[in-house]
Amino acid sequence: MTHDPLAQTHDWTDSGFSTRAIHAGQDPDPRTGAVVTPIHQVSTYKQDGVGGLRDGYEYSRSGNPTRDALQEALAAVEGGAAAFAFASGLAAEDTLLRAVLRPGDHMIVPDDAYGGTYRLVARVLGPWGIDHTPVHLSDPDAVLAAIQPGRTKVIWVETPTNPLLGIADIAAIATHARSAGAVLVVDNTFASPYLQQPIALGADAVVHSTTKYIGGHSDVVGGAVVVADGAQLPAGLEGPTGTTALGDAVGFLQNASGAVAGPFDAWLTLRGLKTLAVRMDRHNANAEAVARFLVEHPGVREVLWPGLPEHPGHEVAARQMRGFGGMVAFRTGSAESAVAVCGATRVFTLAESLGGVESLVEHPGRMTHGSVAGTALEVPDDLVRLSVGIEDVEDLLADLEQALAAAGLSR
Ligand SMILES: *Cc1c(COP(=O)(O)O)cnc(C)c1O
C-alpha cells in the first residue's frame, strides 16, 4: 500500500469518551476525505496477483472496512484491546462462549440474566455438555460458593440486571474469577460503555447487544465482544490458533462460525455510538424523574432503579457507574394491573427491547422473559419494565400518570 497523506492516524487512547466514540477507527476516508466511514457493501475484494491482498481484505466474512471501523471504536470506548462485531447480541455471546468452553465445563450465570442468555446457556449449550448454575450475583460470596474448582471456566455477570435491575460488584467478582482461573464476562448492555467500564474493573471480556443503547435508535440488531488487553482463555486451554489469548480464539470463531455484523448494520451502529454519551445523560436524567414520580405514586408498590438510595445495590452502583441508567421497573401488585398499565400508555410504546431514543413499556413476565417462565429466572408477574427514552420528561410523567389511572391505580 502506498502511504496516503490524507489518511490520519492518531492515537485516541488518552482522549475523552465522546472523542473516542466519534473518532477512534473513523479516520476520514483516505481517497475522498469523506468524514463518515463509508458503507463497504461488498462481499469480495480484488487481489493484486494471487494472495496480493490490499490492506488484508479478502472476503467480507473475514474482514470488512466498515465493520473494522466499528470494532476499533468499540474497543476504544470500552478500554479493550480488540472488539468483534456480530449480527446480534446473542451471536456475540454464543461465539464467545464456544471460544472459551469445552464439553464438561461449568459456568455461573446470573439468576436474573437476560432471558435469551439463559436460553442459550441452558437449551443450546447445555445439550453440548456445558453445565451451569444460576447465582444471585448481588452476593459475591454466593459466587464464590458456586465455583467448582477446576470446572468453572466462565463467570457471566450482568449489571444492572434485566429486568430486576440488580447490581453485581464487578471488582469483587473479578477477584473470585481470577483465583478460580475462570474468564469473567460482563454483559454491559444495560449500562453502556459510557456509564460503566467493566474491563477497568477486572473483566476479561465485555459483551453487548449493540441493538440497545449503542445503536440507540431501534433500527438495527447487533452485538459485540470486547476483550481486555492480555485476556487469556481459561487456565489450561489452548485455542484453535495455537495460542492461549482470548482475543485470538474469539477472532478465529468470528470468522469460522461467521455470525458477523453486515456492513450497513455496522454503519448504523457506528452512527449511534457517536452520540451515546449525550443520549445517556438524557436517559439518566429522565429515568431519575420517572423513578421519583413512581416512588411518590400511591398506586405503585415498589420501584426498582439503582439510583434510588433505598435500592440494595445503590452503593455499589454509585461506585462503579457514572450514572444509573435509563431502565426503571416497578411492581403494581397484580398481573392484571401491570398488563393494564402496559396497554394504556400513549407516549411509552408497548414493545420489547430497550435503549432507543423512544420510551418503551413492557410486561417482562409475558414478553421478554416468557422463555424463562417456570425456571429459576422467572420474574414477578406484576412487574412493568420501562426503557425511559429521551423525549421531554413532562410528557413522560403525564403519560404514566394517565396510564396508572386507566389501570385503576389512582391516587
Ligand atoms: C437484548 C439483550 C441481549 C441479546 O441481544 P440481541 O441483540 O437481541 O441478540 C443480551 N443481553 C441483554 C442484557 C440484552 O438486553
Side-chain angles (χ1 to χ4, degrees):
M1 281 297 304
T2 52
H3 174 72
D4 192 317
L6 283 176
Q8 293 177 14
T9 44
H10 182 85
D11 180 3
W12 303 100
T13 321
D14 295 326
S15 306
F17 182 88
S18 284
T19 307
R20 278 177 279 144
I22 293 167
H23 293 290
Q26 302 163 77
D27 288 342
D29 180 54
R31 190 166 81 84
T32 63
V35 166
V36 169
T37 306
I39 305 168
H40 289 271
Q41 192 68 46
V42 65
S43 62
T44 191
Y45 305 83
K46 172 181 161 50
Q47 303 193 5
D48 297 319
V50 173
L53 307 184
R54 300 190 190 178
D55 226 3
Y57 291 108
E58 181 177 24
Y59 182 64
S60 275
R61 170 163 37 72
S62 317
N64 177 280
T66 313
R67 191 174 88 221
D68 283 352
L70 172 62
Q71 294 180 158
E72 203 173 312
L74 288 171
V77 295
E78 280 289 2
F84 305 91
F86 293 89
S88 71
L90 282 172
E93 295 184 15
D94 179 45
T95 303
L96 174 62
L97 288 170
R98 285 189 293 125
V100 170
L101 294 168
R102 297 293 179 269
D105 287 348
H106 170 256
M107 68 179 284
I108 290 173
V109 294
D111 69 355
D112 58 347
Y114 172 72
T117 298
Y118 186 72
R119 183 177 56 199
L120 171 69
V121 168
R123 296 177 58 189
V124 178
L125 299 178
W128 288 93
I130 305 302
D131 211 1
H132 69 276
T133 306
V135 173
H136 195 60
L137 295 191
S138 324
D139 178 7
D141 292 341
V143 175
L144 193 57
I147 290 174
Q148 301 178 12
R151 230 188 131 220
T152 303
K153 301 296 171 68
V154 168
I155 300 178
W156 190 276
V157 169
E158 236 185 88
T159 181
T161 60
N162 176 19
L164 293 171
L165 298 162
I167 299 292
D169 185 334
I170 298 172
I173 296 174
T175 309
H176 297 328
R178 217 168 296 124
S179 54
V183 171
L184 177 64
V185 180
V186 176
D187 181 339
N188 205 25
T189 299
F190 262 42
S192 90
Y194 177 61
L195 299 185
Q196 182 169 274
Q197 304 260 294
I199 288 173
L201 295 166
D204 298 298
V206 164
V207 300
H208 275 287
S209 168
T210 57
T211 314
K212 316 293 169 51
Y213 286 106
I214 290 178
H217 296 74
S218 307
D219 54 10
V220 61
V221 171
V225 174
V226 186
V227 296
D229 195 15
Q232 298 290 302
L233 290 167
L237 182 64
E238 185 182 282
T241 64
T243 77
T244 59
L246 178 60
D248 289 351
V250 174
F252 177 87
L253 255 80
Q254 182 193 36
N255 178 51
S257 52
V260 294
F264 185 51
D265 288 359
W267 185 88
L268 278 170
T269 306
L270 201 50
R271 180 192 230 257
L273 179 65
K274 290 172 193 276
T275 56
L276 179 65
V278 291
R279 286 186 287 107
M280 290 314 300
D281 283 338
R282 179 71 167 256
H283 283 296
N284 285 341
N286 281 0
E288 174 158 16
V290 163
R292 295 199 185 289
F293 165 85
L294 291 169
V295 164
E296 294 296 315
H297 198 289
V300 171
R301 280 263 171 99
E302 189 189 1
V303 182
L304 306 170
W305 186 63
L308 295 171
E310 60 269 29
H311 186 287
H314 178 68
E315 267 175 45
V316 173
R319 196 163 66 227
Q320 71 186 14
M321 299 177 78
R322 189 203 296 250
F324 300 103
M327 299 302 296
V328 178
F330 63 97
R331 300 183 67 171
T332 61
S334 73
E336 295 66 35
S337 56
V339 168
V341 170
C342 294
T345 56
R346 296 172 193 143
V347 182
F348 283 82
T349 301
L350 177 60
E352 298 194 358
S353 197
L354 61 114
V357 292
E358 60 289 287
S359 292
L360 303 179
V361 60
E362 69 123 358
H363 185 263
R366 294 196 193 159
M367 294 171 65
T368 49
H369 290 64
S371 67
V372 293
T375 73
L377 282 82
E378 186 166 316
V379 296
D381 65 0
D382 66 339
L383 191 74
V384 175
R385 189 188 79 177
L386 303 175
S387 172
V388 181
I390 66 171
E391 299 96 335
D392 295 278
V393 71
E394 301 75 23
D395 296 325
L396 299 180
L397 300 183
D399 191 38
L400 290 171
E401 177 79 51
Q402 69 79 25
L404 288 164
L409 299 163
S410 48
R411 292 188 178 277

